[in-house]
Amino acid sequence: MTTLVDSHCHLDRLDLSPWDGELDGALAQAMEQGVGYFLCVSIDLEHYPELLAMAQKDPRIAVSVGVHPNERKGREPDAEELIALAAQPQVVAIGETGLDYFRCKEGEEGGLEWQRERFRQHIAAAKGSGKPLIIHMRDATEDTLRLLREEGADEVGGVMHCFVEDWAVAKRALDLNFDISFSGIVTFNSAKALKEVARKMPAERMLVETDAPYLAPVPHRGKPNYPAYVRHVAESIAQLRNTQWEAIAEQTTENFFRRFPAAARSRLQPAWRDPR
Ligand SMILES: [Zn+2]
Ligand SMILES: [Zn+2]
């Protein structure tokens, strides 16, 4: 069977009540839909040990390390600390990081320089560790792309996760050595510009994700999201590109392991079937 990768999910935040609180239930549901590998993305340093333990136990799971641009409560990392944490073989990326001017406003006291400084530390950590970046960009396109350029992020590259911009922005991200990851938003009828991006995207530069438990795709819109639903994202893109979802799965899985080579190295689990 074809295997999909959910390139961005928050497994520690899933609503696991349908499976008596067991993550294995959600992962089994995903396997039934052909989803066999999961990049569980870090939001803060406080929960990071829990994520790492998850990945150490289950070779289908890789993790990233970083602090989300909206996170205000936890510890502030510097590049040095992130590099040290990223030395674990299960850590395949730095993030999620970036800029979010939607939930944090420039007009607030002191402005948002703290967010940009945090972002710079993450870029430095990616360059120092050689692990690619997972970028969260919301209502902050120009500053995000500017900082990536200024800090030389193209040296390591990475992924623009949950991409929602138009083709012009997508092209600029591609030129900076960032792949584009599509989430359930591409299944929404209203997402016309994003559907155009999915049509035009070079096949070897796209990834798929759920961002579960957030942003459930059609037909689960408004309900809790699960990694299994990345299949809907792949089906939606396949329809836009006049192909089969299996072809999208094969391509995006290959892209994922090329973009995150550390994931290819830690992929040991016997149940894994290579799409080739
Ligand atoms: Zn995000
Ligand atoms: Zn996320």
Side-chain angles (χ1 to χ4, degrees):
M1 190 185 181
T2 313
T3 306
L4 274 161
V5 174
D6 185 354
S7 76
H8 188 120
C9 53
H10 302 282
L11 298 178
D12 56 323
R13 298 181 171 217
L14 297 182
D15 173 9
L16 296 175
S17 47
W19 300 283
D20 287 334
E22 293 296 326
L23 177 63
D24 278 349
L27 298 185
Q29 177 203 39
M31 299 292 273
E32 273 167 34
Q33 295 301 316
V35 188
Y37 198 84
F38 314 87
L39 175 46
C40 179
V41 174
S42 170
I43 296 276
D44 60 32
L45 295 184
E46 285 68 24
H47 291 88
Y48 166 74
E50 193 186 315
L51 301 194
L52 182 63
M54 219 182 249
Q56 284 169 335
K57 224 169 50 196
D58 190 331
R60 295 170 296 181
I61 302 172
V63 292
S64 69
V65 63
V67 176
H68 192 285
N70 284 326
E71 198 53 42
R72 301 298 288 272
K73 296 186 290 290
R75 211 166 78 248
E76 191 68 42
D78 62 12
E80 208 180 325
E81 181 177 12
L82 291 170
I83 291 169
L85 294 172
Q88 298 286 345
Q90 293 83 6
V91 179
V92 304
I94 304 293
E96 60 182 289
T97 184
L99 298 174
D100 189 322
Y101 296 171
F102 178 76
R103 276 188 281 174
C104 297
K105 299 278 180 227
E106 191 68 73
E108 69 184 57
E109 204 180 341
L112 289 183
E113 186 48 31
W114 62 270
Q115 226 187 52
R116 292 184 283 272
E117 180 50 28
R118 179 185 288 175
F119 187 21
R120 288 187 196 99
Q121 293 295 329
H122 281 74
I123 298 172
K127 290 164 76 174
S129 65
K131 293 186 176 172
L133 287 155
I134 297 172
I135 304 294
H136 171 108
M137 171 169 84
R138 192 161 182 205
D139 285 5
T141 310
E142 292 310 318
D143 276 6
T144 305
L145 296 178
R146 176 174 61 80
L147 281 185
L148 288 174
R149 207 171 39 242
E150 283 176 7
E151 303 298 319
D154 56 331
E155 186 186 312
V156 280
V159 174
M160 308 304 284
H161 111 82
C162 193
F163 189 80
V164 292
E165 314 269 342
D166 62 12
W167 174 240
V169 174
K171 262 196 343 216
R172 290 164 68 195
L174 292 174
D175 288 345
L176 281 167
N177 190 20
F178 282 81
D179 296 339
I180 301 294
S181 180
F182 295 97
S183 67
I185 293 179
V186 78
T187 68
F188 298 176
N189 267 333
S190 55
K192 301 272 186 273
L194 187 60
K195 287 181 192 291
E196 187 195 336
V197 176
R199 266 186 228 107
K200 290 184 172 168
M201 185 58 49
E204 66 283 0
R205 300 297 302 276
M206 61 182 180
L207 301 178
V208 286
E209 66 171 80
T210 56
D211 206 11
Y214 316 108
L215 287 172
V218 173
H220 306 282
R221 194 173 176 177
K223 301 200 200 94
N225 196 5
Y226 295 102
Y229 301 166
V230 77
R231 168 86 170 259
H232 297 298
V233 178
E235 283 170 349
S236 179
I237 294 173
Q239 204 174 33
L240 291 164
R241 295 170 72 96
N242 282 319
T243 182
Q244 306 299 313
W245 77 267
E246 289 90 342
I248 299 298
E250 184 168 338
Q251 181 73 59
T252 54
T253 293
E254 186 185 319
N255 296 348
F256 176 87
F257 287 108
R258 191 188 327 108
R259 176 51 79 181
F260 300 106
R265 286 193 291 274
S266 67
R267 186 180 59 166
L268 300 167
Q269 104 113 10
W272 172 270
R273 270 151 302 190
D274 200 276
R276 285 171 164 269

